[in-house]
Structures are given as C-alpha cells and as structure tokens.
C-alpha cells in the first residue's frame, strides 16, 4: 500500500484510489486489519506491557498460560508472549527489508529490460533464469558458512534470489505496456524518457507488482522462520519465531503452547499479508475469468 | 474511355492546391524509402520487405491519400514518417530539411512537427491518465506555456474538436471511441504540427462516428492549413478527403494521381480492382474480371516480376520476368504496370 | 425470394436483461427469417446485434439472460431446449461465422481436422470420407490449392483464407441458417467483396438462410433480401432491402445510409448523426433516437411526442418505429 500511495501522484488519483479501495475483495480489508493488529502489537507491545523476553525464571518453567504469563513460559521460564513479540519484530523486519530491496531491484531491472531490450535484457534475463532456480536456503547456508549468521547475512541471502521473480514479472508487464499504442503516441509526441517510465510504465506495473509483493511477503516470513529453525538465522538466546518453533519441539506434549504460539503467529501474519495481496489483485465488482 | 465513377457520390470541390504546390513543390518528400524488418528462424534470417522503394511528394496544405490492402505497408510508412521506426534505405525531407537525420534529444525536440493519429483511439490513450493530463503533458514536455496556460489551451482545444469541458477530467474508459479519436486529434494539434499522419483514423469507428471525425479533420485542415497523409483501406474515405492518392501494393506505390483523375482514369489493374470492390451495388459486380483468386505475395518472398501478377487478370508472360517501374502516365499520373495503356481503355464495367 | 415460403426462424418479443438487474439490452425484438432468405441486421456497435445472435443460439455470455419472448427455429422452441437438443441445433441447424476468424480456429489443429469436425462428430462420417469431403468444401469456397491448405494450421492463413475456412466448416454441417456476425468487417474491401459474393453463391446453391449482422449498410445493399435496422436494443425499421435502401422511413435509417456512403451534402460536408450511439441502458421514456433525431428537433409538436412516448412498430411488410412516419402514412 505504501508503494501505491507514494508513487502515483495523489492529486488526480483521489477519485480512482477511492474507487479502487471500494471495489476490493473482502480479503483486502480483512488482511489489512489483521496485519495492522499484528504490527501494532509488535511495535507497541514492549512499551505497553514492559515485556522482558530474556528474563529467566527457573521456578516457572513450562507453565501454561496465566495472568502473568499470557502464553505461558518456556523451558527456561521465559515469558513466551514477550519472546513472541520480540521475535516477531525480528522476523517481520528481516522479511520486510529483504522484500522491499528485492522489489526495488527487480522492478528497475525488469522495466529496463522490457523497455530497452537488447543486450541488457539478454544478460539480465539470463541472470534471472540462473538465480531463480536456486532456493534461498542454499544461498543462506552458503553465506552463513562464510560470514556467520546475522541480520545482514540473512537479508543479503534473501535478496540475492529474491529480486528475480519481480524482475521477470516486471519485464513481462513492461513488454505488454511497451506494445501499447499509447507508448507509440508518447514517443511521437516527444515525451521525455522519464515521463514515459514514471507516468506510463510505473502506474501500470504497481498493482500487479504490489499484489505479488504481498503474496511473497508471507512466503518470506515463513522462509525467515525456517532459516532460524535450521539455525541459519538469529542465534539464541535472541528470540525468533522459527527458533521458538525449533526450541519447542522437545516439550511438545508438556507445553503445546510453546509450539502453537509461534506457529500461529507465523500463520496469521503470513495469511494476513497474503490476503492483502490477494485482495489487491481482485476487483469484486468485475467477474474474474 | 469508360469512366469508373461512383455515380451517386457527388464530389467535394477540388481545392486549389495546384497553385501552392507549384510554389512549394515538396513540403514532404519521400524518396526510395525502404523498410526491411528481419525475420529470424532457426535457419537464419530473411528480410521482410514491408516498404520497398516508396517515393512520394506532398505539397504544403495537401492531403495525400494512401490506400491499399492490409499488409501492403501503409502503417509501416506511417511509422517511418513519424520516426517510430528507422528506415532501411531512402530519404525523407520535411520542409527542406533531412527529417531522418535528427536523433536522440534533437529528434525529441523536433517531434511536434510530425504528429500521428492512430487507428484505435482506445489504445492510443493511457487508460490511467485523465484526458486533461494526456493533452497537457506533451506541451509540458516541450516547454510550452505555464500549467495554467496549458490548461486553458487544452480546454480551448477540447472545444475546437467538439468536446465540452467535462471531458477534461474524464478517464478514457468514460468516453466513446469517437470522442477519444477527437481527443487524440486534439492532443496532436496542441503541438501545432506541420504534418499530420492519420493511420486509418476511422476504421475502428461506426459509420456515424466516421463521418463526424472526417468532418472534423476537414474543418481543421481548412482552419489550420494542415498537410496530411491520410492512410486508409477504404476508398470512400480517401475519395472524400484527399487531393492526391497513392495506391500501394506489396510495399510499393503502384499508382499515384490526383484524386479525380485516379477515379476517372485508373490505369493500374489493382486500382481498378479496388474501385470495383467498393462498388457493392444491387446485383453486384463481377469481381473476377478485375481480380484473380490468387494470393498476395509474402513480404518474405517477393516475386521477381510484377508483384500483382498472381492476381492480375491481364498478366502477360513478360510481367513475371521483370519488375515494372513507376512510370509517368500523364502530367501528374504515375503507374507501375507494363501494359497499362493497352488494357486501361476497355476494362471498367459499364455503368448505369 | 418467394414470400409464401415457410418460416424458418421466428423470434417474438425477445428480451435480454443483465442478470444483475437493470434495463434490458435487447427489448421486445421480433424477427422472422424464411427458408433460403437473407436477412441483414444492421446498427451501430452496442445496439445489441451480436447479443441477438447469441440469444438465438442460446450462447449468451454469463451475466445476460433471456427474460421473455420466444425463439422458434424450424418449429421448435429454442428457449425451452436443453443439452443435446442445443448441441444439435448449433451443430447442424444453425451455423455461425464471426468477425475474427482466427480467434475461432484452433491454432493447434490442422485446417482439415477442424473442417471435418462437423462431418465426423455431427454426421458420423469416417475420417477418410470426411477429409475427402473437406477438400470439396474448401474448393467450393474457392480456397486455392485446397489439398495443401487442408494440412496447414490456422495461423498460416491470411484473414480472408481463415474466413473461408470458417465458411467451409459452417457449410460442412449443412445448416438451415447461417448467422454471420460481421464476417467481413476485419477484412479488406477486395477480400470482403469476394467473401460476400462467395457466400451469396453458396446460399443460392444450397438454399440455406442467412442472418447477416453488420454495421455497414453499403455491405448489405447488394446482398440481403430484407434489412432490419436496430437501434439501442430495438428494431426501428424492417422491410425488403430495396425499399429500405431506396425509401428509408426511419430518420435513423436515412442518416445511417447517408453516413455509410460518405456522400458529401450540398455544403461539401458529410452528414453525421449528432451525439454518439447509445446502448439500451441509458434510455429515457420517449423514442430512443430522440436525443439525436433532427426531425424531432425541428418540429416542436413532434418533439414533445417523441420525448414523451415511444412509438410502436407500425406497418405491414415494411415496418417503422417512428411518430413522424406514422403521421405521414396516416395522412
Ligand atoms: N514490427 C514488425 N516486424 C516484422 N514485420 C512487420 C512489422 N511490422 C509490420 N511488419 C510486416 O510488414 C508488412 C506491412 O505491414 P503494415 O505496414 O502494418 O501494413 P498495413 O498497415 O498496410 O496493413 C506486413 O507484412 C507485416 O507483417
Ligand atoms: N455480459 C454482459 N453484461 C451486460 N451487458 C452486456 C454484456 N455483454 C454485452 N453487453 C451490452 O450489450 C449491448 C449490446 O452489445 P452487442 O450485441 O455486442 O452490440 P453489437 O454487436 O450491436 O455491437 C452493449 O451495450 C453491451 O454493453
Ligand atoms: S505489369 Fe502485368 S501483371 Fe503487373 S499489373 Fe501490369 S499487367 Fe498486371
Ligand atoms: S419518433 Fe420522433 S425522435 Fe424518434 S425517430 Fe421518429 S421523429 Fe425521430
Ligand atoms: Mg495498418
Ligand atoms: Mg457485435
């Protein structure tokens, strides 16, 4: 949504924007609501409830949910809710930063490839073909082996491959736009290159790209969780949803909440963001084919 | 000589452009223009000869019609003349200057001189841009006026092309095809072009919209002295609009004459077939006298001799051997056929 | 065409309405086609011609449905048909030709397979017998070198050739009625003339009826026996082709004929119908053509009538829906 708002000139888009929002599928509103709640908890949680994710209390190990510990405690007697909030901040940030970087690189490369063509298109698209086949996990293992685990490593690992689907999509869309007569018209009218890219190409790409962005953001959340689960992400004792899942395994029968809480957090966040993407794409007033 | 007229059609009075054309013989001159696209396959590449040696002279204020079947290269000619695509060979001179020379920013700055009206007005406007923005932005790109000034000009132009102010803030989806074609024409005219290329401007429109647009173009030409290239596959349109007509076939001009002369004394067998096809009258006409059921040659494999030979009812053995040249057949009449003067006399259907 | 011939298709008060509600896009349309007759349905785009054709064959797109009226083809009510009957109707009773022949042809199948389909599936011929018949059919629609073309794929054909292939496919089923929806609009004039001549020749030989849909009146004058002019979902004039072309009664028909011919008026300009063609959706209560009608504008008495009440279709054999022509004929 942020991209949608800032890149299209606000003045004339107030009408269309309202119309756009009014015709979204229900998943858009639902996704936005849930995601806002998740974000609010993650951002404001530590101040609101003065949570301490690191405080251990050996006496209170593996407790079920209670007044003090809303989601119970883990094997070291730490507050699961506090760790969930702390870990979510990490997981969501990593996923968001890597997705934003991927989108910016991918869209830039894709538009240029579609519009300029020639050797640039050839090289960039071969590169995409090459990278798109590699799973992020493999890259992450490789980078972690070299640089050791950490925020930056994780973000880099996720963006090295992450930009490729956007580049491919953006190029496809740019080729479609480039085939339109209004691009020929803009050329004959002597419009500047900047105008053609910003006013013709970008607006026509934003909606499909942002839909895919949100869809893939959910996917990225799960990947980040998965990488930490494999021990490739953040290192203990710092919390992370994937890590919490991994750590919960031995205590599954005694404290199922240890597993359910981070699992549900990943699921709900991923679902809400996916819903936003899904809702962005679908106009409920028009029958879709 | 039998006249090939469309009797029910009264003619628009011929304008006195002969005078101006003598003073200023060629405002636009196209010489030996070729455009070969490349066709690539596993085996290699071959040229697609979309334009093959087109030569035309258009005087200032004149409307030159280009007719021919689809695929004969009309749009390619429009694209080369508007510098949307490069020429393989040949020259274009506009108002005494080499129009193929400027490149990059120099070309962009000179673009207002030559404007294009598209066949499909829905495609020629970005569906996400309001009509006001679409019309004002080109002026901004060329540094014309202030924003307020441009807005005034757009409103004035909307009025000139017969649309009210409410169109300024509309999106293309909120307008009909005929209305959008007016917008496209208005947008082009705001840059005050010297040459307006119209590529089938009415082919995508209904009969009633078509006459509205043709009237508008004639009004604008009268008011602004526009020079136009009017491309159409519809003889009725070029007959109404144009001062001179070039008939194209398979990438070449096969006949070029003043409008009335072309319709009264068509010399090329293809021109006659075109005229006969447009005469869909009760009882019909026997087209087979004018057209054999042959195939149009592929631009990938143009025949050695006359390109029309496969469909020409008058084809002689020598036609397929050597390509005929565009030869003078009258003071302002050119034809690309070896046998025009032997068969031209007795071939149009008797009428009445 | 003999006028006592048997009625093949009879459409009575056909009304098609969007399922979501709203004004009907085809409103009380009646049309008769006799065996072996050529009827042209003419009107601006959006007037509902294609939807009429689709309603007759029960092929309306989702979102539109027949809300009243009946369609009787060869004595059977099409609106009541289902399943097999409909397939039989579309396969053998009514053939269709469309504006974009390439869009209707399967790009992955050879021409002969497609032309043979009605023969193998519809008539149960063996593939060999069907293929032999295909060559005959292709020859009869004057496709040069039919043996070679039969093996081609549709994208290898020009627009004119593809339309001939569609024609051969339609003729293979030996339909009683051929509905041709703008079959030549996308083609060049030369090819257009050839296709129409061919269609007429085949029609004369096989005596099927044709419903030709077009927005170009000049196309139909040499072709049709009867012309029905449609405006905003309604028929406004219907009658023998020659009478409509020579003495059109409805102001819209008159204007459309003048527009199609591109004849300059006395002042050197072309006649044009002011405003833009409206669909049946945005219509008031009076005559649907009233906002664009010069007759109604010129006469204040007529003007009031035209804007208050919609005229009915009046006349015999040549019917017109216009207050002005009714006054004229009554006087
Ligand atoms: N971009 C292109 N690449 C390859 N061939 C082209 C291209 N544009 C046009 N052609 C070919 O050039 C010929 C002329 O096309 P065009 O100028 O569009 O004809 P017209 O406008 O008269 O219908 C056609 O055979 C067409 O296939
Ligand atoms: N699925 C649909 N739902 C609602 N209206 C439709 C639908 N399809 C077409 N229409 C409307 O039906 C009208 C008639 O369309 P059509 O029969 O295609 O016109 P024509 O063939 O005369 O150009 C148009 O105004 C169009 O907007
Ligand atoms: S040169 Fe021969 S084949 Fe060509 S147009 Fe003339 S008569 Fe016909
Ligand atoms: S009824 Fe009136 S408005 Fe309608 S066509 Fe006749 S004269 Fe014109
Ligand atoms: Mg073209
Ligand atoms: Mg239609």
């Amino acid at each position: 949504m942020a991209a949608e708002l800032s890149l299209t000139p606000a003045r004339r888009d107030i009408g269309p924007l309202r119309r756009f929002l009014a015709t979204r599928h229900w998943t858009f509103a639902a996704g936005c609501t849930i995601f806002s709640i998740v974000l609010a908890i993650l951002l404001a949680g530590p101040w609101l409830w003065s949570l301490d994710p690191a405080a251990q209390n050996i006496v209170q190990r593996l407790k079920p949910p209670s007044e003090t510990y809303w989601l119970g405690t883990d094997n070291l007697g730490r507050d699961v809710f506090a760790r969930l909030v702390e870990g979510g901040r990490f997981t969501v940030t990593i996923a968001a930063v890597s997705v934003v970087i991927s989108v910016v690189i991918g869209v830039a490369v894709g538009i240029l490839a579609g519009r300029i063509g020639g050797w640039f298109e050839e090289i960039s698209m071969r590169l995409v073909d090459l990278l798109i086949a590699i799973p992020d996990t493999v890259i992450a293992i490789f980078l972690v082996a070299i640089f050791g685990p950490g925020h930056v490593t994780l973000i880099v690992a996720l963006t090295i491959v992450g930009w490729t689907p956007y580049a491919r999509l953006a190029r496809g869309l740019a080729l479609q736009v480039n085939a339109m007569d209004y691009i020929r018209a803009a050329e004959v009218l002597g419009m500047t290159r900047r105008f053609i890219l910003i006013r013709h190409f970008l607006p026509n790409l934003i909606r499909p790209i942002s839909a895919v962005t949100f869809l893939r953001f959910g996917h990225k959340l799960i990947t980040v969780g998965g990488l930490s689960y494999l021990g490739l992400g953040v290192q203990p004792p710092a919390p992370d949803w994937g890590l919490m899942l991994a750590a919960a395994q031995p205590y599954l029968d005694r404290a199922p909440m240890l597993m359910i809480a981070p699992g549900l957090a990943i699921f709900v966040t991923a679902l809400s963001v996916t819903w936003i993407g899904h809702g962005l794409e679908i106009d409920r007033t028009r029958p879709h084919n | 000589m039998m006249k090939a007229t469309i009797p029910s059609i009264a003619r628009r009075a011929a304008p006195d452009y002969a005078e101006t054309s003598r003073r200023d013989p060629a405002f636009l001159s196209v010489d030996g223009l070729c455009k070969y696209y490349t066709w690539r396959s596993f085996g290699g590449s071959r040229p697609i000869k979309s334009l093959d040696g087109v030569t035309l002279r258009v005087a200032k204020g004149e409307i030159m019609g280009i007719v021919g079947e689809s695929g004969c290269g009309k749009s390619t000619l429009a694209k080369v003349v508007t510098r949307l695509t490069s020429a393989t060979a040949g020259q274009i001179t506009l108002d005494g200057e080499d129009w193929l020379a400027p490149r990059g920013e120099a070309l962009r700055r000179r673009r207002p001189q030559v404007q294009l009206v598209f066949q499909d007005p829905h495609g020629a406007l970005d569906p996400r841009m309001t009509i006001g923005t679409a019309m004002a932005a080109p002026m901004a790109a060329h540094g014309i006026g202030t924003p307020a000034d441009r807005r005034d000009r757009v409103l004035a132009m909307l009025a000139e092309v017969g649309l009210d102010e409410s169109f300024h803030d509309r999106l293309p989806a909120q307008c009909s095809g005929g209305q959008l074609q007016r917008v496209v024409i208005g947008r082009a005219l705001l840059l005050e072009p010297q040459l307006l290329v119209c590529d089938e401007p009415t082919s995508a429109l209904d009969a009633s919209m078509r006459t509205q647009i043709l009237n508008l173009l004639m009004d604008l030409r009268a008011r602004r002295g526009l020079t136009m290239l009017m491309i159409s596959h519809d003889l009725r349109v070029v007959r109404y609009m144009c001062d001179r007509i070039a008939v194209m076939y398979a990438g070449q001009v096969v006949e070029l004459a003043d409008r009335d002369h072309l319709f009264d004394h068509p010399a090329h067998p293809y021109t006659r077939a075109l005229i006969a096809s447009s005469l869909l009258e009760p009882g019909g006409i026997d087209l087979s006298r004018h057209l054999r059921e042959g195939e149009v040659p592929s631009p990938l494999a143009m025949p050695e001799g006359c390109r029309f030979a496969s469909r020409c009812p008058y084809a002689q053995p020598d036609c397929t051997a050597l390509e005929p040249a565009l030869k003078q057949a009258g003071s302002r009449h050119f034809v690309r056929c070896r046998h025009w003067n032997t068969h031209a006399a007795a071939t149009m259907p008797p009428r009445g | 065409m003999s006028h006592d011939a048997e009625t093949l298709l009879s459409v009575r008060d056909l009304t098609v309405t969007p399922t979501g509600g709203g004004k009907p896009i085809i409103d009380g349309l009646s049309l008769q086609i006799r065996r072996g007759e050529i009827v042209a349905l003419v009107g601006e785009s959006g007037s509902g011609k294609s939807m009429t054709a689709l309603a007759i064959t029960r092929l309306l797109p989702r979102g539109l449905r027949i809300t009243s009226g009946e369609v009787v083809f060869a004595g059977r009510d099409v609106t009541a048909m289902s399943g097999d009957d409909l397939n039989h109707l579309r396969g053998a009773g009514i053939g269709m030709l469309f504006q974009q022949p390439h869009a209707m042809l399967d790009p992955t199948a050879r021409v002969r397979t497609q032309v043979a389909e009605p023969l193998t599936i519809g008539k149960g011929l063996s593939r060999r017998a069907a293929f032999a018949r295909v060559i005959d059919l292709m020859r009869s629609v004057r496709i040069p070198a039919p043996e070679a073309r039969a093996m081609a794929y549709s994208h290898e054909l020009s627009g004119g050739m593809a339309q001939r292939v569609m024609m051969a496919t339609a003729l293979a089923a030996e339909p009683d009625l051929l509905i041709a929806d703008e079959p030549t609009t996308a083609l060049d004039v030369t090819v257009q003339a050839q296709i129409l001549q061919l269609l007429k020749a085949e029609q004369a030989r096989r005596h099927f009826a044709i419903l030709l849909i077009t927005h170009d009146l000049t196309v139909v004058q040499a072709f049709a026996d009867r012309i029905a002019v449609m405006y905003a979902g309604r028929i406004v004039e219907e009658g023998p082709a020659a009478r409509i072309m020579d003495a059109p009664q409805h102001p819209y028909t008159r204007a459309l004929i003048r527009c199609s011919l591109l004849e300059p008026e006395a002042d050197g300009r072309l006649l044009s119908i002011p405003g833009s063609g409206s669909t049946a959706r945005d219509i008031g209560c009076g005559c649907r053509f009233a906002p664009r009608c010069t007759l109604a504008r010129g006469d204040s008495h007529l003007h009031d009538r035209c804007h208050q009440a919609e005229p009915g279709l009046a006349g015999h054999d040549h019917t017109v829906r216009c207050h002005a022509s009714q006054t004229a004929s009554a006087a």
Side-chain angles (χ1 to χ4, degrees), chain B residues 8-12 69-70 176 179 205-212 214-215 219 233 236-237 240 273-274 277 280-282 285 287 291-293 295 311, chain C residues 44-45 142 144 149 161 164 188-191 193-194 197 215-216 218-219 221-222 259-264 268-277 292:
Chain B
S8 60
I9 300 187
R11 290 180 197 166
R12 182 171 59 77
E69 284 166 305
S70 68
S176 73
Q179 291 164 339
L205 304 177
D206 271 339
S208 65
M209 290 296 129
R210 180 168 57 203
T211 57
Q212 288 184 11
L214 295 180
N215 278 338
D219 290 347
H233 68 266
R236 291 170 298 177
V237 171
Y240 174 70
L274 269 185
S277 311
L280 288 169
E281 300 222 308
I285 40 106
L287 249 192
L291 210 52
R292 290 197 293 142
E293 304 245 355
E295 280 286 274
R311 297 166 80 195
Chain C
E44 277 167 288
S45 67
R142 301 214 203 107
R149 287 249 159 60
M161 281 305 144
R164 282 169 210 243
D188 283 304
V189 270
T190 44
V191 183
Q194 284 175 332
Q197 286 192 349
H215 70 271
D216 191 347
T218 54
V219 166
Q221 59 177 341
C259 283
S260 306
L261 291 175
L262 290 188
E263 289 181 20
R269 291 168 61 83
L270 297 169
L271 178 103
S272 66
I273 309 175
S276 58
R292 303 172 74 190

Side-chain angles (χ1 to χ4, degrees), chain B residues 307-349:
Chain B
R307 295 179 181 191
F308 188 56
S310 59
R311 297 166 80 195
C312 179
Y314 311 102
Q316 308 287 320
D318 63 336
C319 295
T320 47
L322 262 178
E323 185 161 5
L326 193 63
K327 290 231 177 76
Q328 194 132 18
S331 65
R332 294 167 60 81
H333 189 179
F334 300 84
V335 58
R336 192 188 288 277
C337 169
R338 331 190 138 262
H339 304 291
W340 72 271
N341 46 3
T342 57
H343 59 61
T347 48
M348 281 317 282

Side-chain angles (χ1 to χ4, degrees), chain C residues 279-318:
Chain C
T279 59
R281 276 174 305 187
D282 30 47
I283 294 294
C285 57
C287 171
R288 298 183 173 194
F289 188 56
R292 303 172 74 190
C293 181
T294 41
L295 259 188
R297 204 172 304 153
D299 176 338
S300 70
H301 175 64
L302 192 59
H303 181 273
D304 292 346
R305 254 182 92 193
C306 296
H307 281 268
Q308 275 153 17
E310 185 171 9
L313 257 185
H316 177 69
D317 194 39
H318 180 177

Side-chain angles (χ1 to χ4, degrees), chain C residues 18 25 44-52 61-64 181 279 281:
Chain C
I25 60 150
E44 277 167 288
S45 67
S47 56
K49 306 181 297 294
S50 297
M51 293 307 141
T52 304
R62 262 205 308 172
L64 288 177
D181 190 354
T279 59
R281 276 174 305 187

